[in-house]
Amino acid sequence: FAAMIHDFDHPGVSNDFLVRTSHRRAIFFNNQSVNENWHVAMAFGLLQREDQELAWDEEWSEDTMFQFRKLCISMVLATDMSRHFELLGKFKNRIAECNSCDDAFDSECAKDRELVLVMAIKASDIATQGKAWKLARKWATIVQEEFFSQGDKEKELGLVPSPLCDRENVDIVKSQIGFIDAVLFPLYEPLSKVLPEVKSVLVQLKKSKSMYEKELRKRSNAPS
């Protein structure tokens, strides 16, 4: 459920943009994880409507519903990239403290399960470059165009474009290589030690990086 709602009603701009422009959502959430707070609040708000198609039909106790919503909030808020290195550091430290990855997390412990789920949704949220190459390249273009659209709006408002949002200065190929090296490898490598199935994504990340590097070489060798 958290994965399904994590980008619900996304405005197509970053938290920083909403804060810099004093958007009503930023005011409402006091500049804190603005988009993520909005996604989860609006999604659970839908479940409160008197609409048969949207009604929550699970017969849960009050405590079970409370714990479920609390977990979903934690997971969705974790997708705020401003918290990325904080959460990744906590996860890596937990692994480093144990003799083996099998001992790092207790599946019977709610807090341990939450930490693993938080890292899993984070990894899934930014996993496009772990897809088959044609999809990875397509998604890179789609996501970058969203960034460029934000940069265009910022220029129209007289603001300095946010990082990676200036279509006149950002090289999509180089930015993807940098993102894979700086964010994706450091995230997926420790996660794969706890969730071995994730190793297949690491393989594809290496493939994507090699394809971008090939694209760079081909561009460099092209006649000017």
Side-chain angles (χ1 to χ4, degrees):
F1 185 79
M4 181 174 69
I5 68 171
H6 86 284
D7 266 346
F8 178 65
D9 196 28
H10 198 291
V13 292
S14 68
N15 289 336
D16 186 56
F17 179 89
L18 297 176
V19 171
R20 293 171 74 196
T21 57
S22 298
H23 191 277
R24 64 186 182 89
R25 295 187 186 182
I27 302 298
F28 190 77
F29 291 111
N30 298 315
N31 295 350
Q32 304 299 307
S33 299
V34 179
N35 278 322
E36 294 75 22
N37 270 303
W38 180 265
H39 303 323
V40 73
M42 292 303 102
F44 274 98
L46 282 179
L47 299 181
Q48 304 302 315
R49 293 184 181 180
E50 294 184 5
D51 187 321
Q52 195 60 36
E53 292 185 2
L54 296 174
W56 186 261
D57 57 5
E58 297 287 349
E59 295 184 1
W60 288 353
S61 67
E62 180 182 350
D63 183 64
T64 298
M65 187 61 190
F66 176 83
Q67 294 300 331
F68 171 74
R69 183 164 175 265
K70 181 181 178 183
L71 177 59
C72 288
I73 292 171
S74 176
M75 292 174 66
V76 174
L77 293 188
T79 61
D80 180 353
M81 284 301 292
S82 71
R83 299 184 60 204
H84 176 77
F85 293 104
E86 166 209 341
L87 293 171
L88 179 58
K90 182 178 179 181
F91 186 73
K92 291 171 71 175
N93 287 340
R94 185 62 177 276
I95 294 174
E97 291 170 356
C98 300
N99 294 325
S100 72
C101 293
D102 293 335
D103 299 329
F105 299 95
D106 180 0
S107 62
E108 299 299 317
C109 174
K111 282 293 184 182
D112 282 4
R113 292 197 302 271
E114 179 179 340
L115 181 53
V116 174
L117 285 170
V118 158
M119 299 310 296
I121 196 172
K122 279 184 55 57
S124 300
D125 184 36
I126 55 176
T128 58
Q129 295 311 301
K131 297 180 183 293
W133 167 243
K134 286 186 178 180
L135 278 175
R137 189 63 179 84
K138 181 178 181 180
W139 269 107
T141 301
I142 292 171
V143 172
Q144 190 62 61
E145 185 52 43
E146 181 177 291
F147 290 173
F148 286 157
S149 176
Q150 174 177 316
D152 294 343
K153 292 175 184 176
E154 289 169 328
K155 289 179 181 179
E156 290 173 4
L157 293 170
L159 301 172
V160 175
S162 297
L164 302 177
C165 292
D166 189 346
R167 67 174 68 249
E168 295 177 10
N169 294 308
V170 174
D171 185 315
I172 185 172
V173 175
K174 291 180 180 178
S175 71
Q176 287 302 313
I177 292 173
F179 186 65
I180 291 171
D181 280 338
V183 177
L184 297 180
F185 280 148
L187 170 60
Y188 274 92
E189 285 167 354
L191 187 59
S192 68
K193 295 177 181 178
V194 178
L195 301 175
E197 296 84 356
V198 169
K199 290 179 181 177
S200 62
V201 182
L202 273 173
V203 171
Q204 190 56 49
L205 285 176
K206 293 175 183 176
K207 172 70 173 177
S208 292
K209 181 184 176 183
S210 70
M211 293 300 289
Y212 284 119
E213 290 173 336
K214 181 178 180 181
E215 195 172 330
L216 262 185
R217 289 194 298 272
K218 183 177 181 180
R219 196 170 65 190
S220 298
N221 294 331
S224 56

